[in-house]
Every structure is written in structure tokens, then in C-alpha cells.
């Protein structure tokens, strides 16, 4: 068995619970080094998680002979740079989602992966969670019949840190770093799931606005899209609503019923047919990225194949860039 010895570029919040611990839960995998531009942060993470080495320079981590695989957990604007650096060094890379801050950078990553023969995986971990696998199974079993339409509805009130008075606002609200606002960060998961189930979206358009005036990025988005099969869908996102309008819903409408599920709060899956309404609760693992990380490691060890490649992740950026009018 090939031992995967991971180096982390970035050791922020996502690595604390969602992903980081999972790398040590899979046989043949261990974390050997971490990097942050903030020395205190890198040292602290290494000490708290019993990681032997820490760096403040990404190139030094990539060049470390003890590191043979790299996890990029930085904001999207640097994903492509670090992924390409890793692949050119011959080291497979696992990148946080979205793959990059724009479609063009995704294309660059794919070109280098093909050129070097070094794989790049992307952290669309919801594809592998039991909750969403159950959704996919229900649709595949034709429980709701032939699928006719897809609808995304998401709204939430502003977070405390969104207000200008909070000081420096989150990087997720800085389009040059994140690719957009909260839409670019959160809709990525929703759109990836739908494309995993129904195939690639080949047409998309949208309108966006800033209605709350709290920050420069868009806070309200409406969109419509069409999958390669001809299936159509629409989406509505508002990140500055009143709390009474809070919603996290995807509805899949068929000719024999409907399935309704959430993407972020994992509310029980609701299936409605002529036989009535069924509510299905599906628990997820404590480290939500564990099933995907296991699939990535087994792929690199030659035991299986992971579907979350940079090529499969790229259409998400294409759709979001179309919706936001970035082309």
C-alpha cells in the first residue's frame, strides 16, 4: 500500500473539523506538514494536531521530500496557483471548492494536470455523503418518475461579520479573492450536486444585485439553466433576507412525485408521491469530508476511482460565471 504523506497549504477553519482529521482516519494516510503565511497559526496547528513540520512558504512545503501529496485549503484566488505548483512538482493535489475563482483558472489547472499526468481532486464532498447518495438513489429508482424540473431556493439573513462596522469583512465577500460573494461560495455545492445527478449544465444565465448594501459583492441572485439532457431548472439566492424567509431547499419535480432536500442543514429528505409523504433522516459522519477523502486516497493507492476530479468540478465555475455575467 502506498503511504500518502500530506502537506496542507492553509490551515484555516475548514481543516479543523470538516477535513483535516479525516486524513488521519484513512489507512495509508498521514499529515506530515502544514503551511500558513502566519507563523503563529502554522505552529499552533502543527502542535495541536501533532504534525511534525510547519512552514510559512508554500514552495518549501511542496519541495519537502517527505510530502508526496498536497491539500490546498486556501481561499479560491490562490487555488490554481498552488495546485499547478504541486502538479508540476509531481505531487497529486486535493483542492478546496470551488476549484478556482473563475472558469479560466479551472481550465489552466486541467491543462497542467493533463500535461503532467498528475491528478487533481476537488472537495465537492457532498457527492459522497450518505444523505445525498440517498437522494440520488431515490431519483435513480424513479420513485418520483420522470424528472420534469429542478428548483433551488436559498435565503438567509446577514451574518454579524457582514456589516461594515465589524471591521475587515470576510474573504468570501471579496470577489477578487472568492470569485464572487456568498453565492460563489455556497451555490457551488448546490450546482455540483445537481450536475452529479443530472449531467452537465450547458446553458445558464442570471441576474444579480446588491440589495442590502452591506458589501460590494452581490447578495441576491436569480438564475435559470438547462442540463445537457434538456431538463431545465432555476435558482434563487438571497444572503440579506429577514430571518423569517430563511430557506435551504432543492426541489426535484417529477411526473409521479417530488423530492425535497436541503444542502447545508441536512433536514430530513421529503418524498411526496400518490402514496403520501415520506420523511427520511440520513446521518452523516462527524468529519463530513471523510468519505470523499477516503475515495481520493484509495484512487491514489490504485484501489478505486474518485469522481471528484478537477475536470468534473470545472462546469460548476462555468455555470456560476455565466450566472454572474463574468464572461
Amino acid at each position: 500500500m502506498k503511504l500518502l504523506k500530506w502537506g496542507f497549504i492553509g490551515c484555516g477553519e475548514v481543516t479543523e473539523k470538516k477535513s483535516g482529521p479525516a486524513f488521519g482516519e484513512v489507512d495509508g494516510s498521514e499529515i506530515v506538514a502544514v503551511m500558513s503565511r502566519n507563523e503563529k497559526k502554522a505552529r499552533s496547528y502543527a502542535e495541536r494536531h501533532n504534525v511534525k513540520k510547519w512552514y510559512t512558504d508554500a514552495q518549501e512545503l511542496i519541495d519537502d521530500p517527505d510530502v508526496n501529496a498536497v491539500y490546498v485549503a486556501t481561499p479560491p484566488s490562490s487555488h490554481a496557483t498552488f495546485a499547478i505548483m504541486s502538479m508540476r512538482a509531481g505531487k497529486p493535489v486535493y483542492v478546496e471548492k470551488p476549484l478556482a475563482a473563475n472558469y479560466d483558472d479551472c481550465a489552466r489547472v486541467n491543462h497542467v494536470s493533463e500535461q503532467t499526468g498528475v491528478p487533481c481532486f476537488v472537495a465537492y464532498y457532498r457527492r459522497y455523503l450518505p444523505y445525498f447518495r440517498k437522494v440520488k438513489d431515490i431519483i435513480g429508482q424513479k420513485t418520483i418518475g420522470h424528472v420534469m424540473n429542478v428548483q433551488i431556493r436559498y435565503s438567509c439573513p446577514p451574518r454579524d461579520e457582514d456589516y461594515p462596522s465589524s471591521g475587515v469583512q470576510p474573504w468570501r465577500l471579496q470577489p477578487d479573492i472568492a470569485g464572487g460573494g456568498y453565492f460563489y461560495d455556497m451555490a457551488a455545492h448546490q450546482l455540483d450536486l445537481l450536475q452529479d445527478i443530472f449531467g452537465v449544465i450547458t446553458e445558464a444565465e442570471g441576474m444579480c444585485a446588491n440589495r442590502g448594501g452591506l458589501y460590494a459583492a452581490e447578495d441576491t441572485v436569480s438564475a435559470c439553466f438547462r442540463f445537457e439532457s434538456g431538463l431545465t431548472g432555476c435558482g434563487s439566492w438571497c444572503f440579506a433576507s429577514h430571518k423569517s424567509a430563511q430557506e435551504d431547499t432543492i426541489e426535484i419535480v417529477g411526473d409521479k412525485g417530488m423530492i425535497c432536500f436541503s444542502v447545508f442543514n441536512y433536514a430530513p429528505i421529503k418524498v411526496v408521491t400518490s402514496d403520501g409523504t415520506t420523511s427520511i433522516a440520513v446521518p452523516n459522519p462527524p468529519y463530513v469530508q471523510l468519505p470523499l477523502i477516503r475515495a481520493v486516497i484509495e484512487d491514489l493507492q490504485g484501489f478505486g476511482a474518485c469522481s471528484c476530479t478537477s475536470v468534473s468540478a470545472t462546469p460548476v465555475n462555468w455555470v456560476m460565471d455565466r450566472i454572474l455575467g463574468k464572461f
Side-chain angles (χ1 to χ4, degrees), residues 181-198:
Y182 286 127
F183 171 80
Y184 218 82
D185 182 55
M186 302 185 73
H189 275 302
Q190 298 162 318
L191 293 166
D192 179 74
L193 280 169
L194 291 177
Q195 292 190 99
D196 184 53
I197 297 170
F198 299 115

Side-chain angles (χ1 to χ4, degrees), residues 7-213:
F8 288 8
I9 298 178
C11 47
E13 180 184 359
V14 69
T15 66
E16 292 287 350
K17 295 181 180 179
K18 288 183 178 181
S19 62
F23 286 90
E25 292 286 316
V26 182
D27 290 341
S29 172
E30 64 180 14
I31 310 162
V32 299
V34 296
M35 172 269 167
S36 172
R37 290 179 299 175
N38 184 313
E39 178 179 335
K40 183 178 179 181
K41 195 172 185 178
R43 183 196 297 271
S44 172
Y45 190 94
E47 290 175 349
R48 287 184 291 106
H49 296 278
N50 297 313
V51 178
K52 295 178 182 178
K53 301 180 183 180
W54 57 269
Y55 294 97
T56 57
D57 182 271
Q59 189 66 63
E60 289 183 8
L61 178 139
I62 292 169
D63 290 340
D64 186 330
D66 287 338
V67 172
N68 62 11
V70 176
Y71 170 34
V72 177
T74 58
S77 61
S78 58
H79 285 182
T81 297
F82 292 138
I84 289 170
M85 288 167 60
S86 300
M87 290 187 290
R88 291 206 184 282
K91 301 184 179 184
V93 61
Y94 176 69
V95 184
E96 268 305 320
K97 64 85 213 163
L99 173 55
N102 57 70
Y103 171 77
D104 288 343
D105 277 352
C106 294
R108 289 174 53 226
V109 170
N110 291 330
H111 174 72
V112 173
S113 181
E114 181 179 10
Q115 184 184 59
T116 60
V118 178
C120 176
F121 301 95
V122 184
Y124 282 119
Y125 61 88
R126 282 174 168 82
R127 292 191 205 177
Y128 279 77
L129 284 177
Y131 179 96
F132 299 105
R133 293 235 159 165
K134 182 64 175 178
V135 169
K136 193 173 182 178
D137 287 345
I138 292 169
I139 295 169
Q141 292 163 4
K142 302 293 185 181
T143 303
I144 63 170
H146 181 59
V147 175
M148 308 299 288
N149 188 249
V150 176
Q151 300 172 18
I152 305 171
R153 297 191 301 275
Y154 186 88
S155 62
C156 65
R159 308 177 191 192
D160 290 343
E161 59 267 31
D162 295 350
Y163 292 92
S165 59
S166 67
V168 178
Q169 292 182 309
W171 61 259
R172 289 178 175 85
L173 297 179
Q174 301 176 44
D176 58 329
I177 297 175
Y182 286 127
F183 171 80
Y184 218 82
D185 182 55
M186 302 185 73
H189 275 302
Q190 298 162 318
L191 293 166
D192 179 74
L193 280 169
L194 291 177
Q195 292 190 99
D196 184 53
I197 297 170
F198 299 115
V200 173
I201 292 172
T202 56
E203 297 177 55
E205 57 184 36
M207 292 183 287
C208 58
N210 185 302
R211 302 291 293 164

